[in-house]
Amino acid sequence: MIHHQEAILPHENRPVQRVTPEEPEDPESVMSMRVKFLVLFFLAQCAGLGISAALARYTMPQQPVWMLLPAFLIPLLLTTPPIWFHAGRHRAQLIELNRIFNHIAQGKRNCALPPADHDPEMAQLIVTFNQAMASLNQTTDPKAFTEQLLGAMVDGVVILDRDICIQRVNQALVELLGETEEKLIGRHLDVLLPDPSFCALMYRDLLSDREFRAQETVFLTADGREVEVSISSNLLYDNEELTGTVILVKDIRQRKRDEEQLHFLANFDLLTRLPNRSLLKERLNQTLVRAPWRSTSVGLLHCALDRFKTINETLGHGAGDELLKEIASRLQGCVREGDTVARVGGDEFVILLKDMARDEDVIHLAREIADAIALPMTLANGHEVFITASIGISLFPENGTTSDELLKNADLATQFAKTQGKNQFSFFSAEMNRKGAQRLAMERDLRRAIERGELEVHYQPRWNLRQDRLTGAEALVRWRRGGNGEKPVSPGEFLPLAEELGLMEAIDLWMLRESCRQARQWLDEGRPPLRISVNLSHHLFGRDDLVSVVRAIIEESGLEPGAMELELTEAIVMHNVGHAMNALRAFREMGIHLAVDDFGTGYSSFSHLRRLPVHVLKIDRSFIREITTHKEDAAITHAIISLAHTLGLTATAEGAEEPEQRELLTILGCDELQGYLISRPVPAREMEEKFLPVAAPLSR
């Protein structure tokens, strides 16, 4: 509640008033004042005489005390007339000053002392006092103070009378509403409130003399717009009498925009503007609560794009983002109005189907989504891309009763669909849950495989068909999970997992170090020289410091660079031709041999291929597998061999398993052979026993 002494915002000016005596001059008061001054002076003189008598008795013990009497009487006679005169002369100012202090104590500041022209010192004192009172009165004038206060406030102010009519507004409210003060004063407050229900509630409080705090509503501006505001009220009192209400109006539009932005950031994906995982779980939890009462089923479809990573890395992140937004639009076009499409990961989406009458509905939707995603799309850069999706499905309540269970099981079903060839959909099953637990355990163990020493290198020999002898071996990683007593994990099982977990670079570096160390050891043991070939993943090949890293590893092992061969696939080389050219030239200058692996399965440009500083083309096993039964495979293989020879490169065939394949490859002019026909990949010790005997010492 607000209390003040004066009327609310008075408009009249109050002039400074001089306080004059309310009663006629009293001679007795004058006489009393004079007597008071003389008595005080007489007492002071007596005190002085006593001190003088004591000193005289001490210093002049022979002299009588009465001789000190003139020292007392003479000053008294000389000072009494002036004191008598001045006490009467300034008694008016003294009496007036006393009255003024009484007025100030009562809160009245509009007062001043009368002038005193007959005494310059008193006149100057009165002028200074009157100036101080005038300054105090100016700075504490209720109207001036209220005007300054209202003008300085950044929030709007509305002052209402007892009839809820607007009596005063400040400039901040005028600017907020775009209306003039003259048009607002005298009108009822409801002209600013377009919401009738809120207006009724507020009028109820105002008429009941109740205050309210931070009520959010909207005010109507002069041009008909609605402005979001927060209002609070204070009752206004004058001398304990209720005179009206002060309404404080705060513009909350910016706060609302900030709240909306924060809500969007917390619940939606910035790129696709779809709900994120947090909002999806909230909606899923709400749906699961209602589903049993409605006797309906709930379905979750986890959709993961196939080969999105390849498109993102090949065409750039901008193209990848454009693709994701298009996929989001297509997914929204497949679902009903009440369903939810959310983006929960880089290339992962989840569709929440509510109130399904039949489980077959989810199958129909899964097919519709797969068909929609598979349609070609043309990006802004002109590239036409094709992409598919693997879809996992979990149902409530069959596959889980909580949001976490349903999301996890839909994810497991998606992973299973990917293993079945991608571009498929799969329902969750208990077997998937078991395999999912196994996968998590494998992830945990694979992350620690290097430090535990569980990785090992196996070597597959490369055979020279012309010279009929061993010329090299390819180093291949194997994982003996759990130690030496365990059976090695299939490379097709753990290498894709290592790729997904981002462990390939660490595995490549370990492979390179271990292969160099083993090759150096074989030479030190006197075994035949052998060129070791090591594959580089795109993770390691993409490093800017790749050349220096490889050089350091080879120098650390003490191996000659010519004893090493690095293999790269077509896709790695063609992904960034400029970087590949620079790195391959640097490797060749070091003396390292270079090979293009799996040739024929990628999209090499012959113009780039002829400029690559490589030594070997390795023909992919897919052409060798049926080379003796399919003329097309034989023709393609012959063409690759001829191309390699034309470019001055060695042609190596991978995956040969039958003698007939070896004979045909020899006829076609192939230089080297690698495959089970010669040997499976074997550990270092078995490689030594079968293919690398120690040379016998020379007899002396």
Side-chain angles (χ1 to χ4, degrees), residues 103 191 196 226 310 322 384 389 414 421 447 476 486 606 700:
H103 278 260
V191 300
E226 292 185 352
T310 301
E322 185 181 353
E384 186 179 43
T414 302
R447 291 181 184 276
L476 301 168
E486 299 294 331
F606 288 151
R700 297 184 178 179

Coordinates of all heavy atoms in Angstrom, one line a residue, residues 103 191 196 226 310 322 384 389 414 421 447 476 486 606 700:
H103 N 7.7 23.4 12.4 CA 7.0 23.1 11.1 C 7.7 22.0 10.4 O 7.0 21.1 9.8 CB 6.9 24.4 10.3 CG 5.8 25.3 10.6 ND1 4.6 25.4 9.9 CD2 5.7 26.2 11.7 CE1 3.8 26.3 10.5 NE2 4.5 26.8 11.5
V191 N -11.0 -0.5 -21.5 CA -10.7 -0.2 -22.9 C -9.4 -0.8 -23.3 O -9.1 -0.9 -24.5 CB -10.8 1.3 -23.1 CG1 -12.1 1.9 -22.8 CG2 -9.7 2.0 -22.3
P196 N -12.3 -10.5 -22.1 CA -13.4 -10.2 -21.1 C -13.3 -11.0 -19.8 O -13.6 -10.5 -18.8 CB -14.6 -10.7 -21.9 CG -14.2 -10.7 -23.3 CD -12.8 -11.1 -23.3
E226 N -2.4 -6.6 -30.1 CA -2.4 -7.1 -28.7 C -1.0 -7.2 -28.3 O -0.2 -7.8 -28.9 CB -3.1 -8.4 -28.6 CG -4.6 -8.4 -28.9 CD -5.3 -9.7 -28.6 OE1 -4.6 -10.7 -28.4 OE2 -6.6 -9.7 -28.6
T310 N 28.4 -41.9 -46.6 CA 29.1 -41.8 -47.8 C 28.7 -40.6 -48.6 O 29.6 -39.8 -49.1 CB 28.9 -43.1 -48.7 OG1 29.3 -44.2 -47.9 CG2 29.7 -43.0 -50.0
E322 N 20.8 -30.8 -46.7 CA 19.7 -30.6 -47.6 C 19.0 -31.9 -47.7 O 17.7 -32.0 -47.8 CB 20.2 -30.1 -48.9 CG 19.1 -29.8 -49.9 CD 19.7 -29.4 -51.3 OE1 20.9 -29.2 -51.4 OE2 18.9 -29.2 -52.2
E384 N 21.9 -35.7 -58.4 CA 20.8 -36.5 -58.2 C 21.2 -37.7 -57.3 O 22.1 -38.4 -57.7 CB 20.1 -37.0 -59.5 CG 18.8 -37.8 -59.2 CD 18.2 -38.3 -60.5 OE1 19.0 -38.7 -61.4 OE2 17.0 -38.2 -60.7
A389 N 16.5 -46.7 -46.7 CA 16.4 -46.7 -45.2 C 16.2 -48.1 -44.7 O 15.5 -48.9 -45.3 CB 15.4 -45.7 -44.7
T414 N 16.3 -52.1 -36.0 CA 16.9 -51.4 -37.2 C 18.3 -51.9 -37.5 O 18.6 -52.1 -38.7 CB 17.0 -49.9 -36.8 OG1 15.8 -49.3 -36.6 CG2 17.6 -49.1 -38.0
G421 N 20.8 -56.7 -45.2 CA 21.0 -56.2 -46.6 C 20.5 -54.8 -46.7 O 20.5 -54.3 -47.9
R447 N 36.9 -51.8 -27.6 CA 37.6 -50.6 -27.2 C 38.9 -50.9 -26.4 O 39.8 -50.0 -26.4 CB 36.7 -49.7 -26.4 CG 35.5 -49.2 -27.2 CD 34.6 -48.3 -26.3 NE 33.4 -47.8 -27.0 CZ 33.4 -46.8 -27.8 NH1 34.5 -46.1 -28.0 NH2 32.3 -46.4 -28.4
L476 N 46.7 -58.6 -42.4 CA 45.3 -58.5 -42.1 C 45.1 -58.6 -40.6 O 45.7 -59.5 -39.9 CB 44.5 -59.6 -42.8 CG 44.6 -59.6 -44.3 CD1 44.0 -60.9 -44.9 CD2 43.9 -58.4 -44.9
E486 N 41.1 -68.0 -27.0 CA 39.8 -67.8 -27.6 C 39.9 -67.9 -29.1 O 41.0 -67.6 -29.7 CB 39.2 -66.5 -27.2 CG 39.0 -66.3 -25.7 CD 37.9 -67.2 -25.2 OE1 37.0 -67.5 -26.0 OE2 37.9 -67.6 -24.0
F606 N 39.5 -42.6 -65.3 CA 40.8 -43.0 -65.9 C 41.7 -41.8 -66.1 O 43.0 -42.0 -66.1 CB 40.5 -43.6 -67.3 CG 39.8 -45.0 -67.3 CD1 38.9 -45.4 -68.3 CD2 40.1 -45.8 -66.2 CE1 38.3 -46.6 -68.2 CE2 39.5 -47.1 -66.1 CZ 38.6 -47.5 -67.1
R700 N 82.5 -72.4 -44.4 CA 83.8 -71.8 -44.6 C 84.8 -72.8 -45.0 O 84.8 -73.9 -44.5 CB 84.2 -71.0 -43.4 CG 83.2 -69.9 -43.1 CD 83.7 -69.1 -41.9 NE 82.8 -68.0 -41.6 CZ 83.0 -67.1 -40.6 NH1 84.0 -67.2 -39.8 NH2 82.1 -66.1 -40.4

